[in-house]
Amino acid sequence: MHTQIMSLNVGPQHPSTHGVLRLVVDMDGEDVVKVTPHMGYLHTGFEKTFENRTYQQGVTYAPRTDYLHCFGHELAYVLSVEKLLQADVPERATTVRVILHELGRMHSHLVFVGTGLLDLGAITPFFYAFREKEALQDLFEAVCGYRMNQGYFRVGGLSRDIPDDWAPRVEKFLDQMERGVTEYATLFAQNPIFLDRAKGVGVIPPEVALDLGLTGPNLRASGVPLDNRKDNPYCGYETYDFNVITSPDGDSLARFNMRLLEFGESIKIVRQGLKRLKPGPVKDPNRKISLPPRPELETSMEAVIHHFKLVTEGFHPPLGEVYVPVESARGEVGYYIVSDGGSMPYRVKIRAPSFVNLQALEYACVGAQFADLITILATIDPVLGDVDR
């Protein structure tokens, strides 16, 4: 029987592409024969903006690159600049960074679970996941005043210390989160409709996943145990006890379950971090990197000069280029920064995992049906938080 290939536009207004992605899908009847992603609908030009801001001002833009795991991009950026400067980050600041990094991972996974299943027509899990998401944003707001796009980290440490009652609030949330994960699993993990739509759909073998540059849960769902927290440890992650979750299946169900299982590991890391919190400074004591405390400005002319220079001009890292990989909720995030010795970066290039992970879409979709395409997109990255930058 002769059929004609039909091209369909999916997005950017389609609910499953969230306004940032357009797919040109070639269909032969009900079967997908080709998928061409078109990105750039939310392009911000942040990389070029970084090159026209001082290094410390760049912290404002890093979290906006991924509005769900903001702390992942913040951390990747400040670690790269700190490597240029050879900055001395206090232990307390590093521990708080780890805690917020993992809370941010849970925040992103909550939106993944809620909106991913919403794309498949399951409304109820969305409300359950967003219950914990709101509680998490309360914790973020308590730390820095912002529920998203926090900009809390600074080159050399943190913008300010955490509130006195914050750690007990985090402990209480972790108990709530553990109960929530059990509820999510009850809602969909054994649901026959969900299993029919996800099991065996969009299989990506490990060798293909590596060839396509996949990282994060999508790569680990294909059986490759790569996690930068273990393989390229930063912020002392090598001293934390947690497991790298993998699955040999490589299908849409494995990619969903990967996020669900990672909640437990993040909870373990945060609990360990809370036990390690000790009183102490949260900024590099070097006055050529960190702003002096306000009381010091009242008694020291040298402090006033440092403050003036840092605010009006910023610091000058030595010549060099750096890249520090960080394990975000979607995979490897890194900021490649080139310094020419000035107060602003000469070049900034962001390695954003959503952008790279979408390369797997065509491989996973070809031969599947149209409804499977939505399932595959929802499990690779339903939110596409940092596909444009």
Side-chain angles (χ1 to χ4, degrees), residues 171-325:
E171 279 281 9
K172 185 178 178 181
F173 167 77
L174 295 179
D175 295 336
Q176 175 187 344
M177 190 70 242
E178 285 180 323
R179 294 191 297 270
V181 172
T182 304
E183 290 177 339
Y184 311 152
T186 304
L187 280 169
F188 79 87
Q190 301 303 320
N191 184 297
I193 299 175
F194 170 71
L195 292 176
D196 285 345
R197 291 200 62 179
K199 191 171 180 61
V201 173
V203 176
I204 304 174
E207 60 275 8
V208 174
L210 287 168
D211 287 345
L212 291 172
L214 297 191
T215 54
N218 291 322
L219 179 63
R220 295 190 286 273
S222 293
V224 182
L226 178 65
D227 189 318
N228 281 305
R229 294 172 295 176
K230 290 279 192 183
D231 298 293
N232 297 295
Y234 52 92
C235 291
Y237 264 107
E238 66 275 16
T239 65
Y240 287 81
D241 178 28
F242 66 100
N243 300 313
V244 177
I245 308 295
T246 60
S247 169
D249 300 331
D251 59 2
S252 295
L253 181 62
R255 290 190 285 273
F256 256 115
N257 288 336
M258 203 56 48
R259 273 75 172 193
L260 201 64
L261 294 171
E262 285 191 356
F263 281 119
E265 301 308 309
S266 289
I267 290 171
K268 282 166 56 176
I269 294 171
V270 173
R271 285 212 163 105
Q272 292 171 61
L274 291 173
K275 290 178 182 177
R276 298 183 186 195
L277 277 178
K278 300 174 184 176
V282 293
K283 296 181 182 180
D284 187 326
N286 186 348
R287 291 291 177 258
K288 295 190 181 299
I289 296 176
S290 301
L291 289 171
R294 187 163 293 278
E296 198 174 304
L297 299 177
E298 300 172 0
T299 58
S300 168
M301 188 61 200
E302 186 177 347
V304 173
I305 294 171
H306 282 311
H307 187 282
F308 178 80
K309 292 288 285 182
L310 285 172
V311 170
T312 59
E313 185 179 338
F315 44 73
H316 292 250
L319 291 167
E321 52 187 325
V322 289
Y323 177 83
V324 179

Side-chain angles (χ1 to χ4, degrees), residues 51-98:
E51 297 165 16
N52 292 277
R53 298 291 184 274
T54 66
Y55 286 91
Q56 204 70 278
Q57 288 173 337
V59 175
T60 303
Y61 298 94
R64 286 163 172 78
T65 311
D66 181 355
Y67 57 92
L68 291 180
H69 194 186
C70 305
F71 291 114
H73 274 264
E74 283 185 46
L75 187 58
Y77 175 72
V78 297
L79 286 178
S80 289
V81 180
E82 287 163 359
K83 187 175 181 180
L84 269 176
L85 290 166
Q86 296 297 302
D88 180 18
V89 181
E91 180 184 351
R92 181 175 176 85
T94 298
T95 305
V96 172
R97 284 178 175 184
V98 169

Side-chain angles (χ1 to χ4, degrees), residues 101-161:
H101 189 34
E102 293 305 317
L103 291 177
R105 187 184 317 280
M106 286 190 269
H107 179 261
S108 180
H109 284 353
L110 283 167
V111 179
F112 178 98
V113 170
T115 62
L117 290 166
L118 189 65
D119 290 344
L120 302 185
I123 298 174
T124 307
F126 177 85
F127 299 115
Y128 278 75
F130 270 57
R131 175 188 59 193
E132 272 71 59
K133 176 184 179 293
E134 288 298 311
L136 258 178
Q137 288 186 307
D138 289 341
L139 295 174
F140 298 158
E141 186 177 13
V143 163
C144 61
Y146 290 92
R147 298 180 72 79
M148 57 190 296
N149 299 332
Q150 287 84 16
Y152 175 60
F153 297 163
R154 291 290 183 273
V155 177
L158 309 173
S159 63
R160 63 179 74 85
D161 205 350

Side-chain angles (χ1 to χ4, degrees), residues 354-370:
S354 289
F355 181 82
V356 180
N357 289 343
L358 278 179
Q359 292 184 110
L361 195 59
E362 180 167 13
Y363 179 90
C365 288
V366 170
Q369 295 191 330
F370 185 81

Side-chain angles (χ1 to χ4, degrees), residues 29-41:
E30 283 291 319
D31 298 326
V32 177
V33 295
K34 185 179 180 181
V35 180
T36 307
H38 292 264
M39 288 161 271
Y41 288 87

